[in-house]
Amino acid sequence: MSDLVTRAQITLLSRTLHVSEDKLAHLEKLGAANLHELQERMAQVMFAEHNAIFSRLSLLVPIIPLSISLPLVQKLVPPVMAGRAAGAIGVDHPRKAAEAVGMLDPGYAAEAAPYMDPHSVGQLADIAPAGPVMRIINELLRRGDYITAGPFLAYATPDLVHAVERDVHDDEGLIRSASYSFSGENISVIIRHLLTGEGRRVPKLARTILQGAKELRLAALSVFARCDTDVIVAIGDILFDVGSADEIADLIETFISAGAVPETLRFAGQLSPAALDLLAANPILAEPESIDAVAGAADGSGEAAVWRGLLELAERTEPGIARRIGRAISHFDTATLTGLPGLAATAHLWPPLLKVLATAEPDAQSRIGELWSPLPALERNEIEQRIADLGLGEQLTTLIATLQLTR
């Protein structure tokens, strides 16, 4: 199953090309970043053609006052045409376009918005008054058009972020819309403001997620797993504060059953120690199916964030669970295990990795040691020194002995 961000990019691309998502499913292998770039380029080509067609209309903007033209436009011009024309007009007359936003009926603007050039949305976000933009966003959320609302949030300026906190009260709509925004940096700006703003939105937002449907929960995971570390720490602390152990277990079960374990681990790996302890102690992680799903997400992965989440979590679980995870790691494919020392060194993962392996049975340690024994002597010596520094020599005797077989 593809990851959550990739699926969102497939949805956006299908909207841009006006084809079903099924016909684009084979493109999932390109990954989220490449799909995002493809969607951006396709939109540029298509809207450049629209802009050329509608550029003549922009010549009329300085001649006909908006107070005269806009009522006629909303009465006579289908929203699809108005949305496509808005790109050309917005490029040529951004100030006039921003002024027009305040004069449009929110319902008409919401119908036209899906057909607007995404880049013109960004230009309008810089200069458009916040009030009318919020009215359009609220109308989009009321209609459940989260795909269109996402770009509006992605281009949010500081003034618009303040306005979102003040004027947009649909927590579910905000989260589901933000899941279609590709930039984790932009998402972090918005969530960070909601965390620190006077509205105290995040505890209520967390309750909405815990009580929400599967689609909302997965959208929230997609959003939060891409946030900056400080945002994840704050979100995690609030989530574990307002949610009971049963509610957290149900949330994790949703993530696991949907195949969203990598995103879960990316999020978990940046939680505060207190939140990680609560997650590690949750009964859901004592279930064999959960243990296997969590451990299996790292098999074949060279992503530091996924490994950090797995190891930081496993290190805090009870010994029996950590032992099962250590055994699962020992059965990972050869390429994953041979690349693990390099990943552990660059991502500073040696302490949690060695602590988890210290709980594993001798045969598990032996296989890992055999795969690491061809490493250069300098790297093997470094592993042994790290084991000694952590005081794990007695627990990792089999691993050490196997490493030394080639000497």
Side-chain angles (χ1 to χ4, degrees), residues 4-16:
L4 299 177
V5 184
T6 297
R7 277 178 260 171
Q9 294 306 307
I10 287 287
T11 300
L12 287 168
L13 184 60
S14 74
R15 166 73 74 91
T16 299

Side-chain angles (χ1 to χ4, degrees), residues 299-301 307 328-341 367-368 370-372 374:
D299 193 5
S301 174
W307 275 97
I329 291 174
S330 75
H331 288 94
F332 284 2
D333 68 71
T334 299
T336 300
L337 292 178
T338 54
L340 192 52
R367 180 172 189 252
I368 292 174
E370 289 173 1
L371 292 174
W372 289 357

